[in-house]
């Protein structure tokens, strides 16, 4: 009450003016003071403690307690009383994590300015075996610690292909699988993982301070469980750093498509990198009665791959069975009952397929060869991509959906007798030279 202050800018706004006054005199109207306040004014009222230096009648408790803060001191209040008031002593879960061997009391020295640290044992304080002065004084500050500050907690860290990457407490007998489970498991759609574990070597003399452990694991997708198919899982050590690599064959990217004349067309997951064409056809329910294997195709990256689907379906173990890759597309065709005749015939076009007919039969249907037609430049192209040439004594059998192409004489280079004779002479000269060298070598 003896002193208060009013701070105000002077008329030129360059300096502040400090006006002191007695608050009690102002309140009792014993002094005259302009009570009007202006923009920028500040008033400060001092407490008795600030004027006289008296310490407030309260104590502070902080740290590992439930209710930190200032507490007023009652007569003969003790440290134990304050501990109970701040909470935690009567809570077993909290109390078990409290560091009992060390707590600090900060207390003013006789000069009321400097402080000293008084250490005490909470456990001894509770059971009454401590010789510590337990009476509290104004201005005392108590600091309580948790076990985590003095007893290190071993941890491991796990990152990469997990749902909740981060640092986790290392438990006794904790395995790689346990760490993955703590991190909420691997991302969905992944079955295989590559785990790289960086482990700090405890041998101070080791040249390489870090040991790298690489593990390949397969997870079984059993409903309601999350188990490794290997019971000999790796035990983890303190500060292990785990990185899980992505599955090279994730389910969502490991698809092939089969369409056309199968029972269940659609997308199918490749179970392994060695999944064959026949396996996907079987999983698709097999071929429909009207399917035509030879009219089927396999597409990879937009390119058609010629396969003998008939041989694959007839004998899945044959060498013709083909390994699939993610993104492959299988199309199972049906009978068209059509044969195309193209090229140097009088009536090129589409003709009905007849079982057992040969190339000459369809050429006759198309009106026969034109004057420019050439038999030795003609061929039959089958639906599976293979072809068979026509010849003087060769008349290939035609299958459903085949194409017959009759070549033109104008497409064939005329026979050059002079060039042919020159080529023969050159070959004969080379052979004669070789024979002479062999004869000289024998002598």
């Amino acid at each position: 009450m003896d002193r208060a202050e009013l701070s105000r800018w002077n008329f030129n706004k360059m300096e502040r003016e400090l006006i002191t006054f007695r608050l009690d005199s102002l309140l009792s109207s014993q002094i005259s003071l302009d009570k009007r306040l202006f923009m920028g004014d500040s008033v400060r009222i001092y407490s008795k403690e600030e004027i006289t230096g008296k310490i407030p009648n309260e104590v502070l408790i902080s740290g590992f307690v439930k209710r930190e803060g200032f507490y007023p001191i009652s007569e003969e209040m003790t440290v134990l009383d304050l501990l109970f008031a701040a909470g935690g002593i009567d809570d077993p879960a909290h109390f078990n994590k409290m560091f009992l061997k060390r707590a600090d009391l900060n207390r003013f020295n006789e000069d009321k300015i400097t402080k000293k640290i008084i250490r005490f044992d909470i456990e001894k304080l509770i059971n009454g075996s401590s010789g510590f002065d337990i009476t509290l004084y104004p201005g005392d500050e108590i600091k309580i610690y948790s076990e985590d500050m003095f007893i290190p907690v071993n941890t491991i860290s796990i990152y990469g292909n997990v749902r909740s990457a981060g640092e986790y407490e290392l438990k006794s007998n904790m395995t790689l699988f346990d760490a993955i489970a703590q991190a909420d498991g691997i991302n969905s759609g992944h079955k295989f993982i590559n785990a790289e574990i960086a482990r700090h070597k405890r041998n101070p003399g080791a040249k390489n301070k870090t040991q790298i452990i690489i593990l390949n694991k397969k997870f079984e997708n059993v409903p309601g469980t999350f188990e490794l198919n290997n019971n000999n899982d790796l035990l983890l050590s303190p500060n292990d750093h785990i990185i899980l690599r992505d599955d090279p064959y994730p389910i969502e990217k490991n698809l092939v498509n089969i369409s056309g004349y199968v029972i269940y067309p659609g997308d199918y997951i490749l179970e392994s990198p060695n999944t064959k064409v026949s396996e996907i056809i079987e999983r698709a329910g097999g071929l429909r009665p009207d399917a035509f294997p030879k009219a089927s195709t396999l597409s990879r990256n937009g390119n058609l791959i010629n396969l003998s689907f008939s041989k694959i379906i007839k004998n899945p173990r044959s060498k013709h069975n083909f390994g699939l890759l993610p993104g492959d597309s299988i199309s199972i065709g049906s009978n068209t009952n059509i044969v195309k005749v193209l090229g140097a015939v009088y009536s090129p076009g589409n003709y009905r397929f007849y079982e057992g007919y040969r190339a000459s039969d369809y050429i006759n249907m198309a009106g026969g060869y034109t004057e420019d037609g050439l038999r030795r430049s003609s061929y039959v192209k089958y639906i599976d991509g293979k072809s068979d040439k026509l010849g003087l004594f060769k008349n290939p059998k035609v299958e459903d959906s085949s194409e017959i192409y009759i070549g033109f004489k104008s497409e064939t280079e005329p026979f050059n007798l002079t060039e042919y004779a020159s080529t023969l002479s050159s070959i004969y000269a080379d052979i004669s030279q070789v024979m002479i060298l062999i004869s000289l070598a024998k002598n």
Side-chain angles (χ1 to χ4, degrees):
M1 302 289 282
D2 292 337
R3 179 183 174 91
E5 295 174 353
L6 169 64
S7 177
R8 171 175 292 172
W9 291 105
N10 60 12
F11 71 97
N12 59 9
K13 306 295 183 182
M14 299 294 292
E15 296 179 348
R16 291 188 71 87
E17 179 184 3
L18 186 64
I19 304 170
T20 62
F21 60 95
R22 288 182 60 90
L23 182 61
D24 56 348
S25 298
L26 177 67
L27 295 175
S28 62
S29 301
Q30 295 179 10
I31 62 172
S32 176
L33 183 68
D34 187 359
K35 297 181 180 180
R36 289 186 303 162
L37 297 177
F38 298 97
M39 185 71 69
D41 284 357
S42 70
V43 178
R44 181 175 180 183
I45 309 298
Y46 292 92
S47 67
K48 289 183 178 180
E49 288 78 11
E50 288 180 291
I51 303 299
T52 63
K54 184 179 179 181
I55 300 173
N57 192 36
E58 60 186 13
V59 292
L60 171 67
I61 186 168
S62 62
F64 193 69
V65 290
K66 288 187 172 182
R67 295 180 289 275
E68 292 183 296
F70 290 94
Y71 288 80
I73 295 180
S74 59
E75 188 175 354
E76 301 297 325
M77 186 176 184
T78 66
V79 173
L80 195 57
D81 294 332
L82 183 59
L83 287 175
F84 276 103
I89 298 296
D90 53 352
D91 182 350
H94 188 92
F95 186 71
N96 289 337
K97 294 182 180 180
M98 187 179 293
F99 189 68
L100 303 178
K101 299 298 181 182
R102 162 77 182 265
D104 293 338
L105 168 60
N106 298 322
R107 174 169 288 174
F108 279 107
N109 291 312
E110 293 182 1
D111 60 8
K112 305 299 182 181
I113 299 174
T114 60
K115 289 185 176 183
K116 59 185 175 182
I117 296 179
I118 303 172
R119 303 172 188 87
F120 63 95
D121 187 311
I122 296 177
E123 192 170 28
K124 291 181 179 179
L125 185 68
I126 293 173
N127 61 32
S129 62
S130 173
F132 172 64
D133 180 10
I134 60 175
T135 303
L136 290 173
Y137 294 95
D140 281 353
E141 297 178 358
I142 295 177
K143 180 77 171 181
I144 307 298
Y145 304 102
S146 70
E147 283 192 342
D148 293 344
M149 293 185 62
F150 299 93
I151 301 175
V153 177
N154 291 323
T155 61
I156 57 95
S157 56
I158 182 167
Y159 297 93
N161 184 23
V162 288
R163 291 187 176 94
S164 301
E167 190 173 273
Y168 293 88
E169 181 182 352
L170 177 66
K171 283 84 173 179
S172 299
N173 299 321
M174 191 173 186
T175 66
L176 172 61
F177 161 68
D178 296 326
I180 295 173
Q182 290 282 302
D184 296 327
I186 59 177
N187 292 316
S188 60
H190 294 257
K191 191 173 182 180
F192 295 88
I193 63 163
N194 172 273
E196 182 176 285
I197 302 172
R199 176 170 295 172
H200 183 73
K201 290 184 178 179
R202 298 187 178 184
N203 182 5
K207 292 183 178 179
N208 297 323
K209 299 297 183 182
T210 304
Q211 177 187 5
I212 302 297
I213 303 170
I214 298 176
L215 296 173
N216 291 298
K217 294 288 184 181
K218 179 182 178 182
F219 286 87
E220 299 294 347
N221 295 323
V222 182
T225 66
F226 185 68
E227 299 178 354
L228 284 171
N229 64 347
N230 183 355
N231 292 327
N232 299 319
D233 197 11
L234 177 72
L235 288 175
L236 298 178
S237 296
N239 302 315
D240 276 356
H241 185 85
I242 306 165
I243 298 178
L244 297 186
R245 311 294 180 192
D246 288 347
D247 184 352
Y249 300 100
I251 291 175
E252 67 271 13
K253 297 181 181 178
N254 206 20
L255 299 176
V256 295
N257 180 269
I258 184 167
S259 60
Y261 290 78
V262 290
I263 303 299
Y264 304 111
D267 291 331
Y268 286 84
I269 297 169
L270 295 179
E271 291 184 298
S272 72
N274 298 317
T275 302
K276 305 290 185 182
V277 171
S278 61
E279 296 176 54
I280 298 300
I281 294 175
E282 182 180 358
R283 288 167 59 189
L287 302 182
R288 286 169 40 176
D290 50 348
F292 184 37
K294 288 189 176 181
S296 304
T297 59
L298 172 65
S299 175
R300 176 172 294 170
N301 297 325
N303 300 313
L304 291 178
I305 299 174
N306 294 325
L307 289 180
S308 179
F309 277 82
S310 296
K311 293 180 179 178
I312 291 173
I313 293 169
K314 185 176 181 181
N315 182 17
R317 296 184 178 182
S318 73
K319 63 180 181 180
H320 300 285
N321 211 349
F322 196 75
L324 296 171
L325 293 178
D328 284 353
S329 296
I330 301 170
S331 177
I332 303 298
S334 65
N335 298 77
T336 63
N337 290 319
I338 297 294
V339 174
K340 287 185 178 181
V341 183
L342 306 171
V345 290
Y346 284 102
S347 298
N350 297 325
Y351 291 85
R352 178 186 170 187
F353 169 71
Y354 294 92
E355 188 71 38
Y357 274 31
R358 294 186 177 271
S360 59
D361 298 319
Y362 291 97
I363 294 171
N364 291 333
M365 287 185 201
Y369 296 94
T370 64
E371 293 181 358
D372 195 26
L374 185 63
R375 184 182 180 89
R376 63 184 178 88
S377 294
S378 304
Y379 59 88
V380 178
K381 183 180 179 181
Y382 300 103
I383 190 64
D384 61 1
K386 295 182 180 179
S387 60
D388 199 358
K389 293 190 69 174
L390 279 66
L392 185 60
F393 301 104
K394 194 171 183 181
N395 188 16
K397 187 177 180 180
V398 178
E399 297 175 350
D400 190 0
S401 304
S402 297
E403 292 183 1
I404 303 172
Y405 179 77
I406 307 302
F408 293 86
K409 293 178 181 178
S410 56
E411 295 175 341
T412 306
E413 294 184 6
F415 181 72
N416 191 320
L417 182 60
T418 303
E419 184 178 348
Y420 177 70
S422 175
T423 302
L424 287 179
S425 297
S426 176
I427 294 172
Y428 177 74
D430 291 340
I431 293 173
S432 298
Q433 187 175 5
V434 171
M435 294 299 293
I436 293 171
L437 292 174
I438 292 173
S439 176
L440 291 174
K442 289 181 179 180
N443 296 330

